[in-house]
């Protein structure tokens, strides 16, 4: 029996052999087994008050939300979106949507108008769950450009006009809901991710992915039934769903969700007070903790921590060394992407951390280092320690099944049956991978993958901007910041007032998560013969490194 079949044996399947539904596996089966009174989610409010949802309560509430969707006319396959912070309603809506056979997608609460419009349009969002303040600030003005969005459900005591109140609808709904038969290949989640060109891609994931979430949380985190587990990722990104919601609930443990903002002392207090056993976080957060000093960490009782794991960006060896001082523990790196749906490379709980390496491919994943050839084939690199692209043999359960509405883009992500990750890595003779860089121009800022095209497109809407080229400028704390080189239309003066105006415009359009932090006005941007802006040259200039083959291109001339 292969690894994934074995993992499937840990899942129950819908009663009566009616298929596999993530929400049933994550919630209802624990209730059916008599574990309903265990705490599924413990929400830590901004004021540090605590709100618990037991598995029974979550089963009831997600049933109610599934009934609300039925009342709103949502049919299986329709898309339900959320746009909210880390509040209980988001998690209830996610599980209720899966129960109703809908496709669920969660949008980051820091998104501005443009990222929201693109994603809701591409995902054909039919219902949106949001809060009353976010509705007023970001959604109300967009509604007329989103004809397919027929219902907005708002959480909060005041219910804006043209929306349905979450509390009222939930109060009127029935407690019972029977999950319809669900094929493991039925769509469950859409997670948006950035591309270097074109609009963001909606990666489609199916219910069968649960086997990968279950298996990886078992091997990488060694989850135990009584664990208190904290994944700090926001559900607006894939980690916050795959490992903030699905994986811990499949294991029936208690997942901590912090509704508040990052603050080192707050985080340590949560670990201390909640007796967190497993912490899954990101290098940016770890670097910020490091900045606050080991003494702060040691002033708290963090002895409950059994495992600390990281994902999203390269984990610096000095952060791991610092973690040993601060926590007396190693930090285990893991690597995966929106498209892989679950961890595919990492240092398992039972394995020894080797500084500067991520770890090995998880059991069941066939991986290789390869180079794309001009004739469209792959050349596999057999020798160890050689740089090439990480490629993964298609077929693991949490692999994305498509990019929404873009079969051509999906097809281009594979050569034969190898999925091309776009990350350059090398692998040592023991099979451990080390991250080298992205092979493309995507920007990683605070763990969020940002497409330069999306940033540039928003800037081009400013009346003064003629052209824009976005790059990721290395930053010691958050990995990279978005920096944009801009040329201006005739008649506009490249002064500080305009720079502040363009920065403010970008922040409003894109939201703080994607907006550039720096803007440089240039007289011209480097272009290829066909007129495409060469971001690689902008980056090379930024880093002060020569770039082979680009010498004859015009350099940006700063104003
Ligand atoms: P996303 O699809 O937004 O989850 O971003 C996936 C990308 O994040 C990968 O392709 C990598 O470039 C980067 N990434 C994720 N985990 C790691 C890691 N452990 N080390 C280095 N880069 C990582």
């Amino acid at each position: 029996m292969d690894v994934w079949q074995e993992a499937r044996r840990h899942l129950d399947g819908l009663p009566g052999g009616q298929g596999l539904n993530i929400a049933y596996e994550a919630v209802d089966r624990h209730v059916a087994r008599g574990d309903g009174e265990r705490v599924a989610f413990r929400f830590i409010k901004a004021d540090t008050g605590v709100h618990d949802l037991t598995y029974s309560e979550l089963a009831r509430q997600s049933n109610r939300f599934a009934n609300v969707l039925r009342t709103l006319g949502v049919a299986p396959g329709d898309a339900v979106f959320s746009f909210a912070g880390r509040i209980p309603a988001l998690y209830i809506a996610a599980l209720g949507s899966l129960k109703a056979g809908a496709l669920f997608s969660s949008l980051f609460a820091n998104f501005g108008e443009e990222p929201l419009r693109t994603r809701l349009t591409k995902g054909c969002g039919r219902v949106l769950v949001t809060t009353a303040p976010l509705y007023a600030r970001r959604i109300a003005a967009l509604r007329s450009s989103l004809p397919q969005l027929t219902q907005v459900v708002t959480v909060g005591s005041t219910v804006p006009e043209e929306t349905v109140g979450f509390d009222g609808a939930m109060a009127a709904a029935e407690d019972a809901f029977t999950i319809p038969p669900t094929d493991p290949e039925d769509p469950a989640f859409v997670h948006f991710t950035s591309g270097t060109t074109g609009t963001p891609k909606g990666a489609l994931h199916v219910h069968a992915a649960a086997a990968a979430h279950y298996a990886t949380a078992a091997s990488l985190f060694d989850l135990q039934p009584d664990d208190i587990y904290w994944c700090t990722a926001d559900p607006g990104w894939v980690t916050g769903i795959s490992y903030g919601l699905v994986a811990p609930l499949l294991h029936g443990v208690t997942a901590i969700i912090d509704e508040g903002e990052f603050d080192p002392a707050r985080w340590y207090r949560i670990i201390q007070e909640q007796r967190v056993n497993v912490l899954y976080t990101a290098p940016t957060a770890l670097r910020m903790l490091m900045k606050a000093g080991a003494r702060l960490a040691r002033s708290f009782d963090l002895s409950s921590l059994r495992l600390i794991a990281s994902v999203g960006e390269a984990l610096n060896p000095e952060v791991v060394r610092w973690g040993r001082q601060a926590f007396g523990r190693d930090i285990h790196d893991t690597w995966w992407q929106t498209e892989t749906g679950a961890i595919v490379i990492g240092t398992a709980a039972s394995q020894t951390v080797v500084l500067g390496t991520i770890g090995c491919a998880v059991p069941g994943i066939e991986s290789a280092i390869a180079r794309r050839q001009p004739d469209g084939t792959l050349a596999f690199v057999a020798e160890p320690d050689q740089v090439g692209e990480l490629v993964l043999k298609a077929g693991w359960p949490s692999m994305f099944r498509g990019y929404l509405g873009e079969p051509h883009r999906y097809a281009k992500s594979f050569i034969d049956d190898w999925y091309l990750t776009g990350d350059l890595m090398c692998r040592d003779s023991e099979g451990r991978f080390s991250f080298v860089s992205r092979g493309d121009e995507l920007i990683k800022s605070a763990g969020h993958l940002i497409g330069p095209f999306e940033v540039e497109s928003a800037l081009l809407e400013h009346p003064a901007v003629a052209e824009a080229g976005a790059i990721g400028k290395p930053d010691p704390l958050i990995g990279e910041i978005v920096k944009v080189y801009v040329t201006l239309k005739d008649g506009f003066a490249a002064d500080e007032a305009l720079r502040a105006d363009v920065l403010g415009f970008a922040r409003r359009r894109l939201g703080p998560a994607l907006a550039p932090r720096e803007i440089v006005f240039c007289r011209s941007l480097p272009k290829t013969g066909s007129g495409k802006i060469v971001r690689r040259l902008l980056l090379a200039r930024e880093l002060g490194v020569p770039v082979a083959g680009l010498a004859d291109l015009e350099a940006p001339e700063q104003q």
Side-chain angles (χ1 to χ4, degrees), residues 123-189:
C124 281
R126 169 106 202 261
V127 173
L128 175 70
V129 180
T130 186
T131 63
L134 279 175
Y135 179 78
R137 254 188 288 144
R138 309 262 172 76
I139 302 293
L142 278 185
R143 263 190 104 166
S144 59
S145 63
L146 297 168
Q148 78 291 348
L149 183 65
T150 52
Q151 304 283 354
V152 176
V153 179
T154 50
V155 181
S157 45
T158 48
V159 180
E161 248 178 71
E162 298 174 352
T163 75
V164 175
F166 180 83
D167 291 343
M170 289 287 280
E174 294 279 329
D175 268 346
F177 183 85
T178 305
I179 301 177
T182 311
D183 190 289
E185 286 300 310
D186 280 352
F189 291 109

Side-chain angles (χ1 to χ4, degrees), residues 20-23 62 65-70 72-82 92-105 123-129 177-183 185-190 204-207 404:
L20 181 81
N21 187 297
I22 290 177
S62 50
F65 190 77
N67 284 320
V68 169
L69 291 179
R70 284 284 146 80
L72 295 178
V74 169
D78 283 350
V80 176
F81 277 68
S82 68
I92 292 165
L95 292 160
S97 300
L98 298 188
K99 286 185 171 180
L103 190 57
F104 186 79
S105 185
C124 281
R126 169 106 202 261
V127 173
L128 175 70
V129 180
F177 183 85
T178 305
I179 301 177
T182 311
D183 190 289
E185 286 300 310
D186 280 352
F189 291 109
V190 170
L204 185 67
H205 290 274
V206 297
H207 286 269
L404 278 185

Side-chain angles (χ1 to χ4, degrees), residues 177-362:
F177 183 85
T178 305
I179 301 177
T182 311
D183 190 289
E185 286 300 310
D186 280 352
F189 291 109
V190 170
H191 299 297
F192 285 88
T193 184
S194 297
T196 22
T197 56
T199 49
K201 303 176 273 192
L204 185 67
H205 290 274
V206 297
H207 286 269
H213 297 130
Y214 185 91
T216 51
S219 65
L220 273 300
F221 305 150
D222 185 28
L223 277 190
Q224 302 296 322
D226 292 325
D227 272 346
I228 308 292
Y229 163 93
W230 185 17
C231 167
T232 63
D234 190 276
W237 307 92
V238 68
T239 307
I241 294 289
S242 288
Y243 291 95
L245 165 70
V246 179
L249 267 49
L250 289 176
H251 280 269
V253 304
T254 297
I256 299 288
I257 306 287
D258 182 17
E259 294 184 29
E261 292 307 315
F262 173 82
D263 168 67
R266 179 185 172 90
W267 275 32
Y268 292 140
R269 194 164 303 116
I270 291 174
I271 295 170
Q272 174 178 280
E273 285 175 2
Q274 302 306 328
R275 309 297 299 154
V276 172
N277 308 117
V278 177
L279 177 71
Y280 193 29
T281 189
T284 289
L286 290 165
R287 286 190 294 263
M288 288 178 171
L289 293 179
M290 184 165 97
K291 200 167 160 228
R295 192 187 294 172
L296 181 68
R298 287 200 297 253
S299 69
F300 289 87
D301 175 7
L302 308 178
S303 58
S304 57
L305 279 178
R306 195 179 68 237
L307 185 105
I308 307 170
S310 167
V311 68
E313 317 152 60
L315 180 62
N316 327 63
E318 72 257 39
V319 175
V320 181
R321 282 194 211 99
W322 173 80
R324 288 175 181 160
Q325 279 177 38
F327 309 120
R329 303 237 156 254
D330 270 334
I331 299 170
H332 291 235
D333 202 0
T334 66
W335 181 99
W336 58 291
Q337 299 180 311
T338 303
E339 287 85 345
T340 70
I343 301 168
V344 287
I345 295 175
T347 301
S350 59
Q351 291 169 332
T352 307
V353 168
V354 176
L355 281 187
T357 71
I358 302 166
C360 299
V362 309

Side-chain angles (χ1 to χ4, degrees), residues 409-492:
R409 247 172 152 184
Y410 180 69
K412 273 177 59 184
S413 331
F414 294 85
I415 290 181
D416 301 328
D417 51 357
W418 290 91
Y419 165 63
L420 311 165
T421 66
D423 273 25
L424 300 181
M425 294 213 189
C426 48
R427 183 168 54 179
D428 68 15
S429 51
E430 314 277 314
R432 286 186 214 97
F433 289 89
S434 297
F435 178 78
V436 176
S437 68
R438 286 284 314 174
D440 54 28
E441 294 165 332
L442 294 180
I443 300 163
K444 251 289 153 131
S445 188
H448 305 146
L449 202 59
I450 299 175
F453 180 81
E454 192 170 17
V455 175
E456 292 158 2
S457 307
L459 280 179
L460 288 183
E461 286 175 30
H462 188 283
V465 174
E467 297 170 307
I471 59 160
K473 174 182 166 183
D475 180 87
L477 207 54
I478 62 168
E480 290 180 338
I481 59 160
V482 179
K483 175 167 182 171
V484 190
Y485 290 78
V486 163
T487 64
L488 295 175
K489 291 183 186 156
D490 288 345
F492 287 93

Side-chain angles (χ1 to χ4, degrees), residues 376-406:
T377 59
L378 275 183
F380 291 93
V381 178
E383 321 79 69
D385 304 320
Q386 300 296 308
V387 176
E389 183 172 1
L390 171 70
V391 296
L392 305 168
K393 186 80 162 282
W396 69 98
S398 64
M399 191 184 93
F400 71 132
R401 300 295 197 269
Y403 288 128
L404 278 185
E406 298 182 291

